[in-house]
Amino acid sequence: MSMPLVSEGEWLTDKRKKDPAKQVLYKEEGMRSEALPWPFLIHCIWLGVMGVDASSWTAEVPSSVSGLQGSCIVIPCSFNYPEPEEKPSEFTGIWFKDTNDVIYHPDGSKVFKDYKGRTELVGDLRQKNCSLRIHPLHRSDKGPFYFRIEIEDHKKYSYIRDTVSIAVTSSPDPPSLSVREEVKVGEEVSASCSVSHSCPSDPPLLTWSHSGTPSVQSQQLTNGQWEVTSSLTFTPSITDHNQSLVCTAAYMGGKTVKRSKILNVKYAPVDVKVEGVSSVKEGDSVELRCSSDSNPAAHSYRWHNSRGPLPTTGPTITLENVTRLTETLFCTAINTEGRGQSSPLKLNVEYPPEIKVGSACTLDISMVTCLCIVDSEPPGTVEWSLPAGPLPSTRVERHGSVTMVTLQRALGFSETVHCNASNTQGNATLSFTVSTNDKMLMLYVSIGIAALVVVVILIPMSACLLTKNGSCRSDQPVTSKQDMDTAKGAFLDPSTSRKEQKDSSSEIHTNYYTNDHLYGNMEAEEDGDPYESVGGDDAVYANF
């Protein structure tokens, strides 16, 4: 804005009458009203003769600026003046309030007390820049304010018609935040956040709630306003879906404002799994569901087992008459972003105990060994017992659903031994009848025959060794070759002697039964049954 050159004599005289406190300043200018008449008229005539253009005394300031209480404000200002013949060497810039209070002066002692230490001339007067900074901004700093320039060895001018007022706000406006409505996992995204302010020397600090690469730009707007913008480049993840992206602006003075937006992140199905009951009884039906986490939700499903795809395409599948041989299942969930597959699910099928073929008792020289092999789910308890009560097991081994229990007893008893198995689904029992008397007789006879053979062989050999010449005389009794062969055969093959005896060897009688039915599986099973050759004690399996 521009204004005609004001007569400093008239203006200063009028101001002095209204505010005697300002007389000191006016006296420094040499402008006392009593000395005005002729010199002042001559000065005016000289100005007219010299043809000074009054429009050259101009100042440009916004009529109003907005600032945040507690922050800072910079009033943009530029001025102009008639160029003297010689370049000025010194400038003095002064800011006044409309009450004629000095709010800024290079000499701080001349500044009104309410503004001491809060104002600073940030413009370069040599560059005709008269911008003023006020910090911190008070609610009372409304103005209006105007600028005055004093040029050494030249003129002084107050731009009283070019005033500026301040609109002081107690809280800032929230930032402006922009980001795409929909983003995808793994794709680079850019978001921007901007705020306006009036303090270019200390702009608001913009921060983000999400990690990424930020960049900041600042630009000057109109009417003393600036804008700072922060751009964030980041890559969203699944965990960002439905989460807030927050931009926070922190102003000088401690005030903060935020703006947020909810991220809509698109991603293919993850965490796909088959859900259903934890266990099922053999022979029952079961319904399973394919669940997943995805955005958007899965629109189709695929089911398959180890042999290939199944005809079901919905989120659920029903299996009828499940057995322990039911295969593992997989499911695949599909949406517009892709597909995801579950981990395999093996149904936990529960069934009562079955005592497998291979369970038996065997005899050793001095020991009876019994083995009971039980298949059940869940694995239950397997115990040995006599009619009179329980027997402690010698060894227990578990291999998945199979439990192997061993019992060892010394020879000398003839009783029925029971293997008892039970779990939550039922129970089963297997009985063994062991008779050891005949076996003991066979053992004793074999030992006696072996001892006799040894005696028959040793006597002739001893007689030969006692002769003087080391050889046997022809008149000494000699055992016939036929007798020697007979003795050797009896020693080397005791079974020959046993065969001559009445075949009264003991037998082990095995009876299979359960609480409610006989087990058909105790007969010979199909070739390749893993329980017919279970590894273990050699004394047990060598007789099978």
Side-chain angles (χ1 to χ4, degrees):
M1 297 177 62
S2 61
M3 58 174 290
L5 183 63
V6 177
S7 170
E8 294 195 6
E10 293 179 0
W11 182 78
L12 292 173
T13 300
D14 181 65
K15 291 295 181 182
R16 187 185 62 179
K17 290 178 181 179
K18 293 181 180 180
D19 191 356
K22 301 296 187 298
Q23 289 184 7
V24 176
L25 178 61
Y26 304 146
K27 286 179 181 179
E28 291 178 356
E29 299 169 357
M31 296 289 183
R32 299 186 63 179
S33 59
E34 292 80 4
L36 285 179
W38 288 107
F40 180 74
L41 292 175
I42 294 174
H43 177 68
C44 291
I45 295 172
W46 178 81
L47 288 175
V49 172
M50 295 299 296
V52 175
D53 184 5
S55 64
S56 62
W57 292 95
T58 58
E60 292 185 5
V61 293
S63 61
S64 177
V65 293
S66 178
L68 177 63
Q69 182 180 350
S71 183
C72 90
I73 189 171
V74 174
I75 301 174
C77 172
S78 62
F79 67 97
N80 202 1
Y81 57 89
E83 294 288 344
E85 293 182 359
E86 295 184 4
K87 187 175 182 179
S89 58
E90 186 174 346
F91 297 85
T92 300
I94 308 168
W95 277 89
F96 288 90
K97 196 174 182 180
D98 64 340
T99 57
N100 300 319
D101 296 323
V102 177
I103 66 169
Y104 170 77
H105 194 286
D107 183 357
S109 62
K110 297 180 180 180
V111 177
F112 186 58
K113 63 179 182 178
D114 288 349
Y115 291 89
K116 282 183 179 294
R118 293 198 300 123
T119 56
E120 176 188 3
L121 192 68
V122 294
D124 185 356
L125 296 179
R126 295 181 180 276
Q127 301 297 325
K128 300 181 180 181
N129 188 330
C130 49
S131 299
L132 178 72
R133 182 177 185 265
I134 302 176
H135 175 256
L137 185 63
H138 292 175
R139 180 169 290 277
S140 59
D141 298 338
K142 297 180 179 180
F145 308 100
Y146 62 89
F147 177 66
R148 173 179 174 81
I149 186 66
E150 296 180 355
I151 305 174
E152 186 179 7
D153 299 330
H154 194 46
K155 294 180 175 59
K156 307 170 184 180
Y157 192 85
S158 297
Y159 301 91
I160 59 174
R161 294 186 180 178
D162 299 303
T163 60
V164 55
S165 299
I166 300 178
V168 183
T169 60
S170 58
S171 61
D173 294 331
S176 174
L177 176 61
S178 64
V179 65
R180 292 206 312 262
E181 292 294 329
E182 294 182 355
V183 297
K184 292 186 177 183
V185 167
E187 289 188 1
E188 194 173 82
V189 177
S190 180
S192 66
C193 177
S194 60
V195 291
S196 61
H197 62 96
S198 59
C199 186
S201 59
D202 295 283
L205 177 64
L206 298 177
T207 56
W208 295 90
S209 62
H210 199 290
S211 60
T213 304
S215 61
V216 179
Q217 303 85 30
S218 182
Q219 63 176 341
Q220 185 174 0
L221 306 178
T222 59
N223 296 327
Q225 294 295 295
W226 281 260
E227 182 181 70
V228 59
T229 301
S230 175
S231 298
L232 178 71
T233 301
F234 67 99
T235 302
S237 65
I238 293 176
T239 57
D240 293 324
H241 179 56
N242 282 335
Q243 298 299 310
S244 295
L245 178 65
V246 183
C247 172
T248 302
Y251 288 80
M252 176 180 287
K255 294 182 179 179
T256 61
V257 286
K258 300 180 179 181
R259 177 63 64 87
S260 64
K261 282 194 174 183
I262 302 297
L263 293 175
N264 184 8
V265 183
K266 303 292 187 181
Y267 55 95
V270 295
D271 194 24
V272 183
K273 53 190 174 182
V274 180
E275 296 179 333
V277 294
S278 58
S279 61
V280 58
K281 186 176 180 180
E282 191 169 39
D284 287 352
S285 299
V286 63
E287 182 180 87
L288 303 175
R289 173 175 294 275
C290 185
S291 69
S292 66
D293 174 21
S294 63
N295 184 39
H299 58 73
S300 63
Y301 300 86
R302 299 289 184 270
W303 292 89
H304 48 281
N305 58 24
S306 57
R307 290 180 296 175
L310 300 175
T312 303
T313 58
T316 61
I317 187 173
T318 301
L319 301 178
E320 304 286 348
N321 191 25
V322 296
T323 70
R324 69 195 75 177
L325 301 178
T326 299
E327 298 180 81
T328 56
L329 286 175
F330 305 80
C331 77
T332 301
I334 306 169
N335 73 352
T336 56
E337 301 301 315
R339 61 179 60 203
Q341 181 173 291
S342 72
S343 299
L345 173 70
K346 174 64 177 177
L347 285 176
N348 183 27
V349 181
E350 296 184 351
Y351 49 90
E354 290 185 2
I355 301 177
K356 306 298 291 182
V357 171
S359 300
C361 288
T362 60
L363 296 178
D364 201 350
I365 295 177
S366 61
M367 192 75 64
V368 176
T369 302
C370 295
L371 174 67
C372 190
I373 305 171
V374 179
D375 181 18
S376 66
E377 185 63 41
T381 59
V382 181
E383 298 175 342
W384 292 100
S385 67
L386 294 172
L391 289 172
S393 299
T394 305
R395 184 173 58 190
V396 177
E397 299 179 38
R398 293 191 186 276
H399 304 278
S401 63
V402 176
T403 303
M404 302 172 62
V405 182
T406 304
L407 172 68
Q408 288 185 326
R409 297 274 292 180
L411 289 175
F413 73 94
S414 176
E415 298 186 53
T416 299
V417 182
H418 304 288
C419 174
N420 306 301
S422 64
N423 71 355
T424 57
Q425 300 299 318
N427 54 73
T429 299
L430 174 64
S431 297
F432 304 93
T433 301
V434 182
S435 178
T436 61
N437 293 330
D438 292 340
K439 285 288 185 179
M440 292 296 294
L441 179 60
M442 290 173 57
L443 177 64
Y444 296 148
V445 171
S446 299
I447 293 174
I449 293 174
L452 178 62
V453 171
V454 171
V455 170
V456 171
I457 294 175
L458 290 179
I459 289 175
M461 293 179 64
S462 298
C464 292
L465 291 174
L466 292 175
T467 59
K468 293 181 179 181
N469 56 5
S471 61
C472 296
R473 290 184 176 181
S474 61
D475 57 348
Q476 290 178 343
V478 179
T479 304
S480 65
K481 184 177 184 298
Q482 182 179 359
D483 293 337
M484 290 292 290
D485 292 339
T486 302
K488 288 182 179 180
F491 177 77
L492 297 175
D493 189 5
S495 61
T496 305
S497 299
R498 294 195 201 102
K499 290 180 180 179
E500 293 173 357
Q501 301 176 22
K502 182 180 179 181
D503 187 7
S504 58
S505 300
S506 63
E507 296 180 355
I508 301 175
H509 304 283
T510 303
N511 299 316
Y512 293 88
Y513 63 93
T514 65
N515 57 334
D516 53 1
H517 64 281
L518 292 176
Y519 276 91
N521 66 323
M522 304 313 300
E523 298 176 359
E525 297 189 354
E526 295 179 1
D527 293 341
D529 189 328
Y531 304 110
E532 288 190 354
S533 57
V534 180
D537 193 332
D538 294 336
V540 176
Y541 301 108
N543 294 280
F544 291 164

